Amino acid sequence: MTKLRNTQPALYWCGVALVAIALIALPLVLTLVGTAWVRITNLAILFTFLALGLNIVVGFAGLLDLGYIAFYAVGAYVYALLASPHFGLHLPFWIILPIGAFCACVAGALLGAPTLRLRGDYLAIVTLGFGEIVRILINNLSSPFNITNGPKGITRIDPLQIGSVEFYNSDTWLGILFTGPAKYYYILLLILMAVIVINLRLQQSRIGRAWVAIREDEVAAKSCGINTRNIKLLAFAMGASFGGIAGGMFSAIQGFVSPESFILQESIMVLSMVVLGGMGNVWGVIAGALLLSFVPELLRYTVQPAQQALFGRMLIDPEVLRMLIFGAALVLTMRFRPAGLWPESRHRQEFSGEHRT
Amino acid sequence: MSAAGPILEVRDLHVAYGGIVAVKGVSFEVANGETVCLIGANGAGKTTTLKALTRLLPARGTLHYDGQSLLQRPPHELIGAGMTLVPEGRGVFARLTVAENLNMGAYCRRDKVGITVDRERIFGLLPRLKERAKQVAGTLSGGEQQMLAIGRALMSRPRLLLLDEPSMGLAPMMVQKVFEVIRSVAAQGVTILLVEQNARLALSVAARGYVMESGRITLTDAAPALLANPKVREAYLGE
C-alpha cells in the first residue's frame, strides 16, 4: 500500500477516493435493499470496535481474554444509566461516552491487576469468570437498590443527538432520505476510522514493541527493562476502553439494554473474529469481524429460499442450518489457514514453522 | 571510573521458593571492572542468586549495587542503572529478527544516534549477527542465539553484565566462541558476573571465583588458585 502511494500516487489516491465514496454511499444503497441491512452493518461496525479492542489484549500483548464482553456491558450500562428515564438522567453523549470508556478502563485494570502473573489457559479461566461476574452483577443489582433493573433491562435510552440532528428519525437532506440507522452509520464510521488509526499507531509505538516483547517472552522482556506490570495493565485498560465506547454506542442505537446481550457466547464470538481474521494484524481483525458479522446474517436470508428451491420444502430449520454452516466454516478456516485469514507476519511464522531449525 | 568500593555487594542473601530455601545466606562482591564467576553444580542455587539480584525473585538480605540498595527496586529499573541480565537459556525473542532483538535491548534508551552507533559496534564485535540482521532469531543456531542475547544486553550499555550459563546446551566449538566474546566485552571495561557450570572455562576468563554448593558459598579464591585447588579439581574439573 505504501509502495503504491510512493510509486503511483495518482492511482493510490483514486483508490482511496473510490473506497471513501463507496463507504459514504453504502447506507444509502442498503436502505434501498432494506433498513434492516443498515442496522446489521452498524452492528458489524460495533463488533469491529470490539474485535480491535480485544486484539490489543490478545493479538498485541498475547493475553488470552475470554470475558471481554464485560467491558462492552460496562460501557452499555453506563450509557443506559446516564441517559434514560431509569434515574431521570439525560446527559449528552459526548460526556457519557468518555465516562463509559473510563469505567470500562477501570474495570480492565481491575481485571488485569490480580491476573498479572497468569498466562494462557489460566488467564483464560479467570477472565471467563470475570465476564460472568459482571453479567451476573448486572442481572442482580435490582435490589435492595434498583441500579440495573435486573433481567428486565433498561428501556427508553436516549438516542444520539448532535446539535439539532436527532438520530432516531429520518431526515431528508439535498433530496436524499437519511434514515436513523443511516445517520448512526456515519457516526460509527467516523469513530471506526479513529479507532483504526489509534490501533495502527499503537502497534508501531514503543508501547506496541513492549507488548510484542511480553507476548514473545516475558522474562526476556523484563531483562530488556520493560515494566511488564504496567505494560500489561495498559493493554487490558486500553482494550477495555474500546469495548466501553462500543458499548455506549450500542446502548444509544438499540435504545434498550439487558444482561442477555452480554453472555459468554458474545465474548467467544469476538475472540473468534480476532483469531479468524488474524491475531495482531489490524486489517485481518477488521476482516474477521465484518465476515463473522455478515455471514450469519446472509445465511439467515438465504438458507430458507435455497431449501425451498432445491427440495421444494423446508428440511432443516434455518436457524440450525445457519449455525451448522457457520461452525463448519470456522473449522475449515482454522484447518487451512491456522494463523487466520490475514495474519500478522510473526504469527504466520509460528504456524508455518519457518523458524524451527 | 574510580574503583572505590565494589559495584555489587551481596550480604547474607536468602531466597526461597515457597518453603524450599534455595539460597541460604550467600555473600560476595564484584569490584568495578572485574570479571567474577560463580561456579557450582546443577541445583547449587547459582541461577536463583542471579534472579534474586535482578529482582525476578523475592529475597532477603542486603543487595547493594553502586552503593544503593536493590531490594526496593523493580526489575525494569535496573537496566537504567546499568545492570543487565542475559537470562538462562538465552531468552531471545524467537519470532523477532536479529535487528529487532537488538533494538529491544535498547528499549530504555532514547538516544537514537547512540543506539545506531552501538548496534554497529555490536555488529563489529559479532559479525555473524550482522550477516543475519534480518533473519528471525529462532532460525539462528544455539551459539548464535547466545551471541544475540549478549549483544542485546550490550545494547543497554551495561556497567555490570550478569551472564547466566552462557555455555548451556552449546557445542564445544560454539562455547569457545561465546567465551571469546565474553573476554572482549570484559576487555572493553564492562564488569561481568558470570554464572557457570563449566568451571574450567569460567575460571579461564574470570579473575576470581566463588564456588557454590547447596545454596551456600563454600570456597572463594583467585581463579588460578581455584584451578589448582584439589577439591575443585576433583569436584568440578573431573580429575
Side-chain angles (χ1 to χ4, degrees), chain B residues 22-234:
Chain B
V23 175
K24 306 159 186 164
V26 159
S27 299
F28 61 91
E29 54 189 52
V30 182
N32 213 339
E34 195 182 23
T35 300
V36 172
C37 68
L38 196 58
I39 54 177
N42 223 341
K46 308 183 300 288
T47 295
T48 308
T49 305
L50 273 198
K51 281 192 173 161
L53 284 182
T54 46
R55 312 295 310 117
L56 295 172
L57 281 178
R60 274 191 306 118
T62 36
L63 289 176
H64 278 98
Y65 169 76
D66 214 9
Q68 288 180 317
S69 175
L70 282 180
L71 280 176
Q72 309 308 323
R73 306 182 75 170
H76 60 91
E77 276 181 17
L78 299 179
I79 234 176
M83 182 168 141
T84 306
L85 170 74
V86 179
E88 187 183 21
R90 307 184 275 277
V92 296
F93 299 107
R95 290 188 287 175
L96 269 56
T97 65
V98 168
E100 284 172 324
N101 263 278
L102 290 177
N103 287 341
M104 210 62 99
Y107 180 81
C108 289
R109 292 172 58 184
R110 306 256 183 191
D111 52 326
K112 274 196 174 155
V113 180
I115 291 172
T116 315
V117 170
D118 279 359
R119 196 170 49 228
E120 287 313 310
R121 195 170 57 83
I122 285 159
F123 278 149
L125 184 70
L126 306 162
R128 283 293 276 275
L129 294 186
K130 185 167 191 171
E131 289 164 29
R132 290 159 199 261
K134 292 208 169 136
Q135 204 169 316
V136 175
T139 60
L140 301 179
S141 76
E144 288 163 344
Q145 287 188 21
Q146 184 63 60
M147 306 263 195
L148 177 57
I150 296 174
R152 190 182 64 195
L154 290 178
M155 285 298 289
S156 67
R157 284 209 176 159
R159 289 168 56 208
L160 173 62
L161 190 62
L162 308 169
L163 289 161
D164 197 355
E165 300 269 6
S167 77
M168 193 164 87
L170 297 186
M173 272 279 290
M174 234 33 230
V175 173
Q176 293 298 336
K177 283 190 180 159
V178 168
F179 272 77
E180 272 166 37
V181 171
I182 295 173
R183 264 191 210 98
S184 51
V185 172
Q188 288 173 4
V190 179
T191 311
I192 293 177
L193 176 61
L194 171 65
V195 159
E196 252 305 340
Q197 270 192 64
N198 188 332
R200 192 190 305 272
L201 259 172
L203 290 169
S204 75
V205 293
R208 292 191 301 118
Y210 292 89
V211 179
M212 210 168 164
E213 260 172 82
S214 342
R216 288 194 177 84
I217 285 178
T218 51
L219 201 59
T220 173
D221 212 332
L226 278 182
L227 275 170
N229 186 314
K231 267 164 75 183
V232 175
R233 294 184 78 91
E234 190 190 346

